[in-house]
Every structure is written in C-alpha cells, then in structure tokens.
Amino acid sequence: MEKVYISGKVTGLPWEEVEDKFRAAADLVRCHGSLAVVPIHYCRKDWPWWQCMKQCLALMLECDK
C-alpha cells in the first residue's frame, strides 16, 4: 500500500483547526486506497518546532509521496 505524507501549516493556528484540516486530508487519501501518514499523530502539541520537524522528516523518508 502506498504511504502518503500529509503536510500543511500548523504553526500559529488553533489546534482544533489543524486537526480538522489534517483529518479531512487523511480521509481523502484513504478514499483513494493509500495509507495516510498524519504528522500531528506523531508530535505533541507542546513540542518545539524543531523537535516536530525532526520527527516529521524521518516520517517523510518512509513515505512514497
């Protein structure tokens, strides 16, 4: 199964808005038969930007798109 990394703006946005946007994007990816990799599921809200980016870059390298 193809793995698709979902990316989008997080910094400076309300967390609920971020969750809604990432959920909608992941649902669309799943409807097309791919596995959605959602970065907010792998980072904590209280982590600094650099820590999330370090985690997310590792996740992206495991994805097909």
Side-chain angles (χ1 to χ4, degrees):
M1 180 178 289
E2 185 174 63
K3 291 171 80 174
V4 178
Y5 183 87
I6 306 296
S7 65
K9 180 176 170 66
V10 175
T11 304
L13 296 178
W15 190 253
E16 295 77 21
E17 180 181 332
V18 171
E19 287 178 319
D20 290 344
K21 288 181 179 184
F22 276 79
R23 184 179 309 109
D27 288 346
L28 184 60
V29 167
R30 290 184 194 112
C31 284
H32 286 91
S34 297
L35 175 66
V37 178
V38 184
I40 62 170
H41 295 166
Y42 298 90
C43 297
R44 293 179 32 177
K45 289 190 283 188
D46 61 338
W47 281 4
W49 177 87
W50 65 267
Q51 190 171 5
C52 286
M53 286 295 99
K54 188 174 178 180
Q55 179 74 20
C56 290
L57 287 171
L59 289 168
M60 278 191 261
L61 292 173
E62 297 176 3
C63 292
D64 302 300
K65 292 185 176 181

